[in-house]
């Protein structure tokens, strides 16, 4: 571990452990410096100079945990963030649910980890647009963010993704602030680590985006089950495109579409496999491998054996095994791809990035690897690199027949990939 990854004082680690106990927030080694900076800001605001003193005051309840939470979570959000997902909501989720629930149904929507409310109001606006009754509950652990959500007045930065005609129709302006006209959203404090839902009712739709990467692995398992139980039959879960996958953690049906990956609690989609168990015939290669591979049979056998473990072992164990296999067969792109997926599942984003780059080194035409890489880079705010990777995915997909299923693409076609990349590129 490098210096930048270790806690600079054991009391920082204790503060992080205390926070984890109460919220399940977790700081990977790569995020420890950032976490220390946040703890120091909270100390400064409370005029505490020694970390041990801060730890004692926090644990004795003399200083509010909320204050620290606010420093350690990023509330970055904006209206209609990830327009592709709203597109999927309008074109697939709403028509399907409208059909099964009927036109008088009262919709219940949960925006989990809503920050300052932009996502919840966006969802309320979609309900209104679509002529649907019902309301949205936005929840978060940051009380400061919830206060802003309740005020519901936003600067132009929160509206950066909104088209002028949408702005005019659904928002009103007062001074330099904009407020959504549709106010069918209410807000409540709720910790996703609590293991209980904020509502005593089943919901049709859950948006939980750009929150999961804060949480530890065991919390993700619990949360996936909580979401599954909270959804009514036929309900949908939408996570952020760079969030760790939840498909294997609860009996969701994972639906891969040209708009991204979505989870449904419905038997009608069961035929579609989850994305972490990819399998499809290899796509034609554009360039030769950089080095001669070992005998294909040994490598292929290793991949086959590894795949046979996927249903049987716990994800952490699988990741360790994937690492071993990748060391043994460094030229087996598929093993690196599986390592990337498992790494993502375990919150090892840097490892997933490295593994995807390795896949692409071995096979620059691996469309799905370009696409995943692009989404991860976008999630890290590395937009120029993300755009390059989306362009690569698009260009590699373009040379394939439009209807050709993509390798590792869960049935998604090359044509759908081209469209998805175009959409991403125009929204970046
Ligand atoms: C980046 S914002 C995401 C906002 C919105 N969902 C979006 O995608 O634009 C992450 C939010 O998650 C909240 N959060 C983090 N851990 C949480 C937890 N354990 N329970 C509830 N909210 C949490 C943070 O307070 C923050 O407001």
């Amino acid at each position: 571990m490098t210096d930048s990854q270790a806690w600079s004082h054991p009391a920082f680690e204790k503060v992080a452990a205390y926070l984890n106990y109460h919220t399940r927030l977790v700081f990977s080694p790569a995020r420890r410096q950032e976490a220390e900076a946040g703890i120091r800001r909270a100390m400064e605001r409370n005029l505490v100079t020694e970390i041990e003193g801060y730890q004692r005051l926090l644990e004795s309840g003399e200083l509010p945990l909320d204050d620290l939470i606010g420093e350690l979570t990023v509330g970055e959000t904006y209206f209609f963030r990830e327009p592709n997902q709203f597109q999927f909501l309008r074109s697939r989720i709403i028509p399907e649910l409208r059909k099964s629930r009927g036109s008088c149904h009262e919709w219940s929507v949960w925006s989990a980890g809503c920050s300052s409310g932009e996502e919840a109001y966006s969802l309320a606006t979609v309900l209104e647009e679509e002529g649907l009754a019902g309301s949205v509950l936005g929840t978060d652990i940051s009380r400061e963010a919830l206060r802003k959500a309740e005020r519901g007045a936003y600067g132009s930065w929160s509206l950066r993704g909104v088209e002028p005609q949408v702005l005019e129709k659904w928002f009103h302006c007062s001074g330099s602030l904009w407020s959504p006209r549709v106010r069918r959203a209410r807000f409540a404090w709720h910790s996703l680590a609590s293991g209980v839902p904020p509502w005593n009712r089943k919901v049709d739709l859950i948006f939980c985006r750009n929150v999961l990467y804060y949480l530890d692995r065991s919390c993700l398992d619990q949360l996936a089950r909580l979401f599954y139980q909270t959804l009514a039959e036929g309900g949908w879960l939408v996570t952020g495109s760079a969030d760790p996958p939840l498909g294997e953690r609860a009996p969701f049906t994972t639906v891969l579409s040209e708009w991204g990956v979505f989870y449904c609690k419905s038997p009608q989609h069961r035929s579609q496999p989850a994305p972490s168990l990819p399998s499809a015939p290899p796509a034609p290669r554009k360039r030769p491998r950089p080095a001669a591979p070992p005998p294909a049979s040994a490598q292929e056998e290793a991949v086959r054996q590894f795949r046979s473990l996927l249903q049987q072992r716990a994800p952490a164990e699988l990741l360790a095994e994937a690492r071993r296999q990748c060391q043994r067969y460094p030229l087996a792109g598929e093993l690196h791809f599986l390592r990337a997926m498992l790494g993502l599942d375990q919150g090892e984003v840097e490892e997933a990035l490295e593994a995807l780059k390795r896949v692409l080194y071995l096979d620059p035409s691996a469309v799905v690897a370009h696409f995943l890489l692009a989404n991860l880079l976008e999630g890290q705010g590395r937009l120029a690199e993300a755009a390059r990777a989306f362009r690569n995915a698009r260009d590699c997909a373009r040379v394939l027949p439009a209807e050709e299923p993509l390798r590792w693409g869960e049935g998604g076609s090359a044509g759908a990939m081209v469209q998805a990349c175009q959409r991403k590129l125009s929204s970046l």
Side-chain angles (χ1 to χ4, degrees):
M1 192 181 286
T2 66
D3 283 344
S4 66
Q5 292 172 329
W7 296 105
S8 65
H9 189 290
F12 278 111
E13 191 170 0
K14 289 188 183 146
V15 168
Y18 179 75
L19 190 72
N20 177 267
Y21 178 77
H22 288 279
T23 65
R24 305 296 282 276
L25 290 176
V26 67
F27 300 98
S28 63
R31 290 187 57 218
R32 283 183 190 160
Q33 253 188 354
E34 180 194 328
E36 282 198 12
I39 296 171
R40 282 183 213 282
R41 283 194 299 276
M43 286 167 62
E44 251 174 61
R45 238 208 333 275
N46 289 288
L47 308 175
V48 183
T49 50
E50 300 293 327
I51 179 65
E52 287 124 313
Y54 181 73
Q55 180 210 334
R56 271 196 304 278
L57 289 168
L58 198 66
E59 290 184 359
S60 65
E62 285 169 70
L63 285 178
L65 194 57
D66 267 9
D67 199 43
L68 182 59
I69 292 170
E71 287 296 350
L72 296 179
T73 58
V74 181
E76 169 59 8
T77 180
Y78 48 95
F79 282 90
F80 298 104
R81 183 180 194 174
E82 297 212 46
N84 286 349
Q85 298 190 327
F86 282 92
Q87 193 55 33
F88 186 78
L89 174 61
R90 292 188 185 94
S91 60
R92 169 86 180 260
I93 299 179
I94 290 179
E96 267 192 30
L97 284 179
R98 209 199 297 262
K99 209 163 148 194
S100 61
R101 307 275 199 264
S103 53
C104 300
H105 180 66
E106 279 272 314
W107 283 61
S108 287
V109 179
W110 178 16
S111 165
C114 66
S115 187
S116 37
E118 288 87 331
E119 181 180 88
Y121 287 119
S122 302
L123 290 165
T125 303
V126 173
L127 290 186
E128 183 78 15
E129 240 176 23
E130 297 282 333
L132 302 170
S135 61
V136 181
L137 177 68
T139 61
D140 203 282
I141 44 166
S142 164
R143 290 187 203 275
E144 200 184 321
L146 290 169
R147 274 193 290 275
K148 187 170 171 202
E150 265 153 14
R151 271 197 306 277
Y154 300 92
S156 50
W157 187 239
S158 289
L159 290 143
R160 59 190 180 274
V162 182
E163 313 254 335
Q165 62 275 24
V166 176
L167 196 62
E168 198 175 317
K169 183 164 181 196
W170 296 112
F171 293 81
H172 62 79
C173 184
S174 164
S176 59
L177 296 179
W178 294 85
S179 299
R181 290 186 197 277
V182 184
R183 311 292 291 193
R184 281 196 269 151
R186 58 193 183 83
F187 298 93
W189 188 93
H190 174 259
S191 169
L192 291 169
S194 65
V196 291
W199 265 348
N200 197 11
R201 55 162 124 152
K202 297 281 186 192
V203 306
D204 301 295
L205 175 65
I206 300 173
F207 263 52
C208 181
R209 305 184 304 163
N210 306 302
V211 184
L212 302 174
Y213 50 71
Y214 287 118
L215 306 173
D216 66 31
R217 304 296 101 196
S218 60
C219 184
L220 288 184
D221 286 336
Q222 186 191 40
L223 198 53
R225 288 194 294 271
L226 175 70
F227 286 153
Y228 190 81
Q229 283 155 13
T230 307
L231 280 173
E233 188 76 8
W236 289 79
L237 166 67
V238 179
T239 61
S241 56
D243 283 332
L246 292 186
E248 292 294 297
R249 297 176 186 272
F252 285 113
T253 301
T254 304
V255 176
L256 184 87
S257 78
E258 60 180 291
W259 294 284
V261 176
F262 300 85
Y263 305 103
C264 182
K265 179 175 177 175
S266 167
Q268 65 179 315
H269 300 289
R270 289 255 151 82
S271 55
Q272 301 190 29
S276 50
L277 298 174
S279 73
R285 294 179 193 286
K286 275 169 76 179
R287 289 190 235 159
R289 287 169 189 256
S297 56
Q299 203 170 278
E300 278 164 10
E301 181 56 18
V303 174
R304 198 192 60 72
Q305 284 193 6
F306 185 73
R307 281 190 167 284
S308 70
L309 299 178
L310 287 174
Q311 300 284 19
Q312 300 161 25
R313 303 249 185 108
E317 221 182 305
L318 284 168
L319 178 58
E321 182 60 22
R323 287 176 185 145
R324 274 192 293 277
Q325 292 300 327
C326 286
Q327 268 187 354
R328 242 179 116 191
Y329 298 99
L331 300 180
E334 188 162 352
L335 284 175
H336 290 286
F337 183 79
L338 290 167
R339 177 164 68 94
M341 299 297 279
L342 289 162
L344 214 51
D345 187 72
Q346 295 294 291
E348 301 290 349
V349 177
E350 291 306 322
E351 177 169 1
L353 280 169
E354 182 269 311
L356 288 170
K357 285 179 185 164
R358 164 66 62 155
V359 173
L360 292 165
Y361 171 74
L362 293 166
D363 180 0
S365 69
V367 177
V368 173
H370 281 298
F371 190 69
L372 274 177
L373 180 67
N375 279 298
L376 286 182
L377 292 168
E378 186 189 0
Q380 293 190 331
R382 294 158 69 181
L383 300 187
E385 289 166 84
R388 195 173 331 121
F390 279 124
R391 276 195 295 277
N392 288 338
R394 180 197 59 192
D395 295 346
C396 292
R398 257 189 192 147
V399 299
L400 302 171
E403 66 288 352
E404 178 153 325
L406 291 171
R407 178 173 42 139
W408 308 326
E410 298 312 314
S413 69
M417 175 61 80
V418 172
Q419 285 175 19
C421 293
Q422 291 288 36
R423 248 194 297 276
K424 278 285 191 182
L425 284 164
S426 52
S427 72
L428 272 181

